[in-house]
Amino acid sequence: QVQLVESGGGLVQAGGSLRLSCAASGRTFSRFAMGWFRQAPGKEREFVAAISRSGGTEYYADSVKGRFTISRDNAKSTAYLQVNSLKPEDTAVYYCAGDLYGSGTNTNSDTYEYWGQGTQVTVSS
């Protein structure tokens, strides 16, 4: 089992930045590719970014490319999502997820085995 706990969300003005963290405990963190997803009210959960076990491969949704950066520190068992140039349409609950079999490019939420509880990001205009 892996437990994932997100933090770092909050209320920010458009154009602002946040750094989301996802702390893992349980099984060896470096065994998992990691992903970030988000879900806005009334909408389906959508892929945001993913990173391979080593951190050498990153993959982004087109809507966040150039504004968001995913990273990980395996020594600290933590994944991060730096979110810059935020827009009101980025408002959502952000979830991190662990993917035991993926390569760091997996956009399908159904194939991620472990999920955190989410952290709210609200962007005001």
Side-chain angles (χ1 to χ4, degrees), residues 11-80:
L11 173 63
V12 63
Q13 289 187 333
S17 299
L18 289 170
R19 189 192 197 198
L20 309 184
S21 298
C22 173
S25 61
R27 297 181 70 176
T28 304
F29 179 68
S30 59
R31 295 182 63 187
F32 293 82
M34 296 297 296
W36 285 92
F37 292 77
R38 65 186 182 185
Q39 188 166 19
K43 295 187 176 180
E44 293 187 354
R45 188 172 297 186
E46 65 172 352
F47 170 77
V48 174
I51 190 167
S52 61
R53 293 170 185 80
S54 67
T57 298
E58 301 169 23
Y59 192 71
Y60 298 92
D62 288 342
S63 59
V64 307
K65 201 172 295 182
R67 299 188 298 123
F68 290 11
T69 302
I70 190 171
S71 62
R72 66 189 297 160
D73 184 336
N74 286 344
K76 294 183 178 180
S77 296
T78 303
Y80 304 96

Side-chain angles (χ1 to χ4, degrees), residues 85-125:
S85 302
L86 282 162
K87 306 174 182 180
E89 52 263 43
D90 295 318
T91 295
V93 178
Y94 284 70
Y95 299 89
C96 68
D99 181 6
L100 186 59
Y101 302 104
S103 61
T105 60
N106 188 2
T107 64
N108 184 354
S109 62
D110 290 341
T111 61
Y112 283 75
E113 290 84 9
Y114 301 101
W115 290 83
Q117 84 290 347
T119 186
Q120 175 72 46
V121 173
T122 303
V123 185
S124 63
S125 57

